Amino acid sequence: MWYMISSQDNENSLEKRKTARSAHLARLQDLTNEGKLLIAGPHPAIDSDNPGEAGFTGSLVVADFDSLEQAQAWADQDPYITAGVYKSVVVKPFKRVLP
């Protein structure tokens, strides 16, 4: 089943995000390689694809896991959590309707 992982950043966490980014992306690449990633990306703090020093306010991942517990466990191990980027993470089942 698909699960939505919505994360909110701590304020002023851009430098921490930059430091942990490669480890964060490696985990997403693993999901991609397994055919389990539907979509992933950050929420820019301003209306721009490249927000520069304004940074980001969080991230969204929609991926396939066997259970809510498995999705939560995966989210709990995100390098952005240990680096102090995320202040909160919500994991919920997601029903894909379109496209």
Side-chain angles (χ1 to χ4, degrees):
M1 177 167 200
W2 295 110
Y3 293 90
M4 176 234 36
I5 302 168
S6 179
S7 307
Q8 299 301 309
D9 285 14
N10 283 303
E11 288 192 35
N12 302 313
S13 61
L14 181 59
E15 290 307 314
K16 292 177 183 178
R17 182 180 269 271
K18 288 177 182 177
T19 300
R21 186 171 189 261
S22 62
H24 171 78
L25 291 178
R27 295 178 78 235
L28 292 169
Q29 187 61 54
D30 288 344
L31 287 178
T32 299
N33 294 345
E34 296 168 9
K36 294 185 173 191
L37 185 64
L38 180 63
I39 191 169
H43 302 291
I46 60 174
D47 191 12
S48 173
D49 283 341
N50 184 10
E53 291 304 310
F56 301 91
T57 62
S59 301
L60 173 68
V61 173
V62 178
D64 182 27
F65 293 96
D66 291 334
S67 67
L68 178 60
E69 292 78 15
Q70 189 183 64
Q72 184 69 58
W74 185 90
D76 289 344
Q77 296 172 11
D78 195 300
Y80 281 175
I81 290 178
T82 55
V85 175
Y86 292 156
K87 69 178 173 184
S88 65
V89 178
V90 174
V91 180
K92 293 183 180 182
F94 176 80
K95 181 177 173 161
R96 182 179 179 181
V97 176
L98 294 170

